[in-house]
């Protein structure tokens, strides 16, 4: 298979992977001349299009000068690092994309370390060189320093460099060369990325790396064929990482990739990245192979989750009014399906409970899962995220620490350092990064970062950029001060009135507008003091036949604070829940009745 090249494009979030792939597909004549093509073609998921980020790894293929190139687009956000770790086992080469202004970021370091450990020799592309604040030479030096810090071999340190603007579809080996297309990149794919080393005469075996589904053929497993040849109706078996038999079956459909489409094949051979159907029970990391094979293909171990939430049934007074999937059995089945396909997610099940512990890499990953479920019609109650502690051999408590890299305007650097220090963060580096900006690097406990994102956005007036990634487990850092303010809690059921809400504005910040359904125990806003406050948001104005110049003025309410799902989940306290339905996101106390909340030890009853 000397004419096949398998490679992945890896980078930090927003450094331009998916946009570059758009132009790779266009310049390889993948589309018809009159074909309408969207931007960020590979981001096919609804949430990906809305958020402008890649969540799921996806495979595409192009043909160039008699070569077939299988290209995998990977997520850039640290929360979806599990997707990146899986797909790197499928490829023989990687393209490391680095922003010409931001330089190497935490996820750059993470994905590069995984690629180097697998022995891959990266191609470095300095992207967005047309930015006014680009610092090309400095970024290239930072990339080299990063390779050295990650113990790259001499071969890996001798990486080729291209300068590019992925959005405009050009790349050059020297900035003085003509900037016309991506041909220098295509040539590097051929000359720098090695052909897969495989044995077509050995029995058939492939490693399932990505799980997909099709309404017509059912479950589809995508992966690289490591050895042999297979045809439709070939008898195969699926074995797990321990070599245990999962099922014996036949390959009913074989697919290859061409651009964005899956094309039917009659035969698949070693070295190619393909998709198969007909395997019902096997999942990610399982080996699909000839019946004679007994040893599974080794799969890269995935870093463990560092955070967990409890997801359970919605038992509020408004339960069942907006969703169609409301039972614990439906929720459990859906979470089991997610845990099968997403190796970075863990699921803890207590059969006697109506809530389930879901572990993940961070608030964004868990938030995307919950948002996907609510769009499918689920109603859920979600607890505050909590970090997953460990104990060392001596019994000492360990907690996950994250490396946080912050780019911020100089006037705001002081407040950022102060806030992260209060959250038990340890300052590792503070240096100017040009343009009156500073780059700050902290090591912060994961629990200290829960809920900090929205606070950071307010402190930096929306101009700061914060990136974080798991660093290590270290000894417990001590207690961290949580949210200072109390909540305003509804003490009755009904629909909020403008008159009542207007009178409550002086007590704090409201989370809901007028004419919203509320119930006793539901949180309607943040109190401006430390204690919780029971309030009546449904009170109407008393009718009177007396007229006064001030009594009939129109009530104008201050706009309420809008919080997105990830912000709400990280904002709540341990004795609170988020009620998630297809139409609403509500905050509530775990104990709805005031006398229940006042009982000692009751706040952790769920």
């Amino acid at each position: 298979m000397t004419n096949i090249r398998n490679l992945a494009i890896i980078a930090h979030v927003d450094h331009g992977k998916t946009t570059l792939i758009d132009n790779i597909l266009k310049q390889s004549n993948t589309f018809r001349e009159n074909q309408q093509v969207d931007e960020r073609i590979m981001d096919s998921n609804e949430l990906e299009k809305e958020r402008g980020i890649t969540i799921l790894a996806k495979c595409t293929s192009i043909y160039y000068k008699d070569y077939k190139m299988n290209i995998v687009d990977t997520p850039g956000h640290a929360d979806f690092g599990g997707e990146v770790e899986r797909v790197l086992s499928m490829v023989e080469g990687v393209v490391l994309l680095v922003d010409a202004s931001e330089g190497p970021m935490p996820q750059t370091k993470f994905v590069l370390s995984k690629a180097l450990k697998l022995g891959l020799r990266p191609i470095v592309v300095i992207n967005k060189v047309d930015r006014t604040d680009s610092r090309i030479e400095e970024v290239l030096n930072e990339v080299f320093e990063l390779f050295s810090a990650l113990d790259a071999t001499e071969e890996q340190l001798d990486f080729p460099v291209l300068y590019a603007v992925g959005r405009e579809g050009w790349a050059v080996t020297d900035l003085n060369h003509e900037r016309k297309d991506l041909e220098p990149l295509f040539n590097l794919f051929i000359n720098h990325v090695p052909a897969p080393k495989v044995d077509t005469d050995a029995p058939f075996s492939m490693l399932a790396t990505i799980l997909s589904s099709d309404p017509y053929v059912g479950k589809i497993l995508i992966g690289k064929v490591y050895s042999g040849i297979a045809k439709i109706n070939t008898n195969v078996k699926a074995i797990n990482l321990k070599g245990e038999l999962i099922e014996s079956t036949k390959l009913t459909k074989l697919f290859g990739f061409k651009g964005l489409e899956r094309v039917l094949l009659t035969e698949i051979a070693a070295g190619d990245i393909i998709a198969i159907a007909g395997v019902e029970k096997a999942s990610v990391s399982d080996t699909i192979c000839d019946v004679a094979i007994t040893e599974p293909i080794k799969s890269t171990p995935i870093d463990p989750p560092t955070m967990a939430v409890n997801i359970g049934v919605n038992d509020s007074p408004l339960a069942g009014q907006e969703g169609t999937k409301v039972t614990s059995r439906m929720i459990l089945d859906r979470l089991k399906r997610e845990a099968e396909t997403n190796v970075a997610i863990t699921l803890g099940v207590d059969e006697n409970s109506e809530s389930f512990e879901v572990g993940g890499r961070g608030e964004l990953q868990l938030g995307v899962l919950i948002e996907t479920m609510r769009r499918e019609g689920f109603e859920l109650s979600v607890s505050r995220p909590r970090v997953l502690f460990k104990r060392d051999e001596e019994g000492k408590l360990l907690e996950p620490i994250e490396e946080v890299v912050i780019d911020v305007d100089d006037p705001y650097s002081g407040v950022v350092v102060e806030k992260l220090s209060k959250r038990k963060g340890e300052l590792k580096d503070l240096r100017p990064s040009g343009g009156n900006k500073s780059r700050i690097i902290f090591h912060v406990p994961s629990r200290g970062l829960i809920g900090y994102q929205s606070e950071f956005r307010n402190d930096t007036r929306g101009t700061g950029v914060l990136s974080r990634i798991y660093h290590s487990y270290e000894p417990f850092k001590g207690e961290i001060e949580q949210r200072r303010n109390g909540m305003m809690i509804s003490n009755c059921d009904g629909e909020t009135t403008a008159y009542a809400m207007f009178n409550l504005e002086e007590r704090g910040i409201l989370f809901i507008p007028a004419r919203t359904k509320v119930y006793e125990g539901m949180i309607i806003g943040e109190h401006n003091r430390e204690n919780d406050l029971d309030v009546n948001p449904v009170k109407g104005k008393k009718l009177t036949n007396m007229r006064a110049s001030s009594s009939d003025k129109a009530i104008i309410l201050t706009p309420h604070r809008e919080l997105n799902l990830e912000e709400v989940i990280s904002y709540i306290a341990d004795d609170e829940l988020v009620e998630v339905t297809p139409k609403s996101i509500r905050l509530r106390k775990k104990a709805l009745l005031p006398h229940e909340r006042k009982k000692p030890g009751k706040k952790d009853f769920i």
Side-chain angles (χ1 to χ4, degrees):
M1 288 294 164
T2 55
N3 62 340
I4 287 181
R5 297 291 183 270
N6 300 320
L7 58 120
I9 298 187
I10 58 176
H12 186 78
V13 66
D14 280 341
H15 280 200
K17 296 179 304 301
T18 308
T19 307
L20 178 65
I21 290 179
D22 283 1
N23 279 296
I24 287 174
L25 289 167
K26 289 171 185 174
Q27 293 187 26
S28 59
N29 298 319
T30 300
F31 306 116
R32 301 187 312 272
E33 286 187 18
N34 63 343
Q35 187 170 343
Q36 292 293 316
V37 181
D38 294 334
E39 287 188 0
R40 300 197 321 273
I41 315 160
M42 297 294 284
D43 286 347
S44 54
N45 182 291
E46 187 180 339
L47 278 175
E48 290 178 322
K49 288 183 183 294
E50 284 180 20
R51 295 169 182 248
I53 60 173
T54 302
I55 295 172
L56 303 169
K58 298 173 201 71
C59 187
T60 184
S61 295
I62 63 169
Y63 291 84
Y64 180 78
K65 291 184 179 177
D66 300 325
Y67 285 85
K68 180 184 181 184
M69 302 176 189
N70 295 313
I71 302 172
V72 185
D73 184 19
T74 62
H77 199 285
D79 282 19
F80 308 106
E83 290 279 320
V84 183
E85 291 176 71
R86 284 191 324 204
V87 300
L88 288 179
S89 64
M90 287 199 295
V91 300
E92 285 78 42
V94 291
V95 176
L96 179 69
L97 214 62
V98 183
D99 188 289
S101 171
E102 294 182 359
M105 297 291 277
Q107 183 70 357
T108 316
K109 179 179 178 181
F110 170 76
V111 293
L112 179 61
S113 68
K114 298 292 180 185
L116 294 177
K117 282 179 185 175
L118 290 170
L120 303 176
R121 295 172 57 218
I123 297 167
V124 174
V125 176
I126 310 293
N127 195 28
K128 304 184 184 181
V129 294
D130 60 338
R131 286 183 59 161
T132 54
D133 58 348
S134 66
R135 44 190 193 95
I136 299 167
E137 286 301 318
E138 290 176 51
V139 166
L140 186 55
N141 289 334
E142 288 172 10
V143 171
F144 191 85
E145 287 171 11
L146 180 59
F147 271 72
S148 299
L150 295 174
D151 298 325
T153 64
E154 287 187 19
E155 230 182 3
Q156 290 169 330
L157 281 168
D158 188 22
F159 52 82
V161 181
L162 290 178
Y163 307 95
V165 177
R167 187 183 65 254
E168 295 177 5
W170 60 263
V172 292
T173 54
D174 189 307
L175 286 169
N176 296 320
H177 291 175
E178 184 183 358
R179 305 171 180 184
K180 55 178 182 176
D181 56 28
L182 294 172
E183 187 174 352
L185 183 60
F186 290 141
N187 289 333
L188 273 177
F189 289 168
I190 295 169
N191 300 323
H192 186 75
V193 178
K197 294 178 181 177
V198 291
D199 184 359
T200 52
D201 297 325
F204 168 75
S205 67
M206 72 166 276
L207 179 67
T209 308
I210 302 174
L211 186 60
S212 181
S213 63
D214 185 280
Y216 301 105
V217 298
K219 181 187 281 189
I220 292 178
L221 294 174
I222 300 168
K224 177 182 164 188
V225 182
Y226 278 76
S227 64
I229 294 172
K231 300 181 179 180
I232 291 177
N233 292 327
T234 297
N235 288 315
V236 294
K237 66 179 181 181
I239 54 177
N240 62 21
L241 287 171
K242 297 177 182 176
E244 298 165 346
L245 179 67
I246 299 170
E247 65 176 316
S248 297
T249 184
K250 286 185 177 182
L251 301 178
T252 57
K253 297 280 185 183
L254 306 176
F255 300 97
F257 296 94
K258 187 176 183 182
L260 305 179
E261 300 172 357
R262 283 197 292 259
V263 293
L264 279 169
L265 302 174
T266 56
E267 182 179 277
I268 53 177
D272 206 356
I273 294 176
I274 51 86
I276 61 170
V279 184
E280 291 299 321
K281 295 178 182 177
S283 188
V284 170
S285 297
D286 292 335
T287 300
I288 317 301
C289 57
D290 187 273
V291 290
I293 289 180
T294 55
E295 289 294 317
I297 299 168
K298 288 183 180 178
S299 183
T300 309
I302 304 297
D303 286 345
T306 57
M307 193 172 289
V309 296
N310 272 31
I311 297 178
V313 294
N314 177 21
D315 59 355
S316 85
L318 299 180
Q321 297 185 14
E322 298 175 356
T324 56
K325 300 171 183 175
V326 297
T327 66
S328 60
R329 179 53 55 191
M330 288 177 170
I331 294 169
L332 178 59
D333 289 345
R334 175 65 179 82
L335 292 174
K336 282 181 176 176
R337 291 201 305 274
E338 184 68 26
E340 281 178 7
T341 60
N342 189 340
V343 292
I345 289 267
T346 59
L347 177 61
V349 179
D350 180 357
E351 296 295 342
N352 299 320
S353 173
E354 291 197 337
S355 67
F356 314 103
E357 183 180 272
V358 180
R361 291 280 179 87
E363 293 132 285
L364 178 60
Q365 185 189 30
L366 296 169
V368 164
L369 169 61
I370 294 163
E371 178 65 31
T372 304
M373 290 179 69
R374 75 182 283 233
R375 294 185 183 200
E376 294 170 1
F378 284 90
E379 286 197 11
L380 312 165
S381 64
V382 184
S383 72
R384 175 182 169 84
R386 63 188 178 282
V387 299
L388 300 173
F389 296 101
K390 287 183 177 179
R391 291 196 180 272
D392 62 11
E393 295 174 355
E394 299 173 2
K396 289 182 181 177
L397 190 64
L398 305 177
E399 67 173 324
I401 304 295
E402 298 191 35
E403 182 175 279
V404 180
V405 176
I406 294 170
D407 287 308
V408 66
D409 292 339
D410 289 338
Y412 306 127
S413 58
V415 67
V416 170
V417 170
E418 180 190 353
K419 290 281 182 74
L420 286 178
S421 298
K422 283 182 178 178
R423 291 167 177 261
K424 304 294 182 184
E426 186 180 337
L427 181 63
K428 292 294 181 182
D429 194 13
L430 173 56
R431 67 175 78 166
S433 57
N436 294 321
K437 284 182 174 288
S438 296
R439 172 161 290 186
I440 307 168
I441 300 178
F442 261 94
H443 284 179
V444 189
S446 296
R447 60 195 171 94
L449 292 171
I450 296 175
Y452 177 64
Q453 188 77 44
S454 56
E455 198 176 317
F456 170 77
R457 203 159 39 236
N458 291 335
D459 290 341
T460 61
R461 306 296 187 270
T463 61
V465 178
L466 183 150
S467 302
R468 48 192 276 194
I469 193 162
Y470 166 76
H471 181 263
S472 61
Y473 269 86
E474 293 182 11
F476 184 69
K477 302 292 182 183
E479 293 301 320
I480 295 175
E481 186 181 89
Q482 299 296 335
R483 188 186 71 204
R484 290 184 176 182
N485 294 51
M487 294 286 102
M488 288 193 284
I489 307 160
S490 173
N491 62 7
C492 54
D493 302 346
E495 191 175 274
T496 58
T497 63
Y499 173 75
M501 301 296 272
F502 181 76
N503 290 324
L504 290 174
E505 282 186 346
E506 62 184 26
R507 298 300 189 106
I509 301 167
L510 297 174
F511 295 156
I512 59 173
R515 302 186 65 82
T516 301
K517 283 184 179 179
V518 296
Y519 52 81
E520 186 175 13
M522 178 174 157
I523 295 168
I524 65 162
E526 181 183 282
H527 191 200
N528 51 21
R529 297 192 179 182
E530 292 184 8
N531 62 302
D532 288 341
L533 183 68
D534 290 313
V535 298
N536 182 355
V538 304
K539 181 171 63 175
K541 185 180 178 184
K542 294 253 189 314
L543 296 177
T544 174
N545 60 359
M546 298 293 291
R547 300 181 67 85
S549 60
S550 61
S551 63
D552 294 325
K553 286 183 179 177
I555 292 174
I556 300 175
L557 294 174
T558 305
H560 62 284
R561 185 200 287 180
E562 290 273 4
L563 295 172
N564 65 34
L565 184 58
E566 287 91 51
E567 289 172 338
V568 168
I569 291 170
S570 57
Y571 174 80
I572 59 173
D574 293 333
D575 65 336
E576 296 162 359
L577 294 172
V578 179
E579 177 188 346
V580 181
T581 74
K583 296 180 182 177
S584 309
I585 297 174
R586 305 183 186 100
L587 281 73
R588 53 162 284 194
K589 288 291 184 178
K590 286 182 177 180
L592 297 178
L593 301 177
H595 66 273
E596 287 284 341
R597 294 197 292 275
K598 290 171 184 173
K599 289 181 181 178
K602 274 288 181 183
K603 68 177 184 178
D604 293 322
F605 76 99
I606 291 184

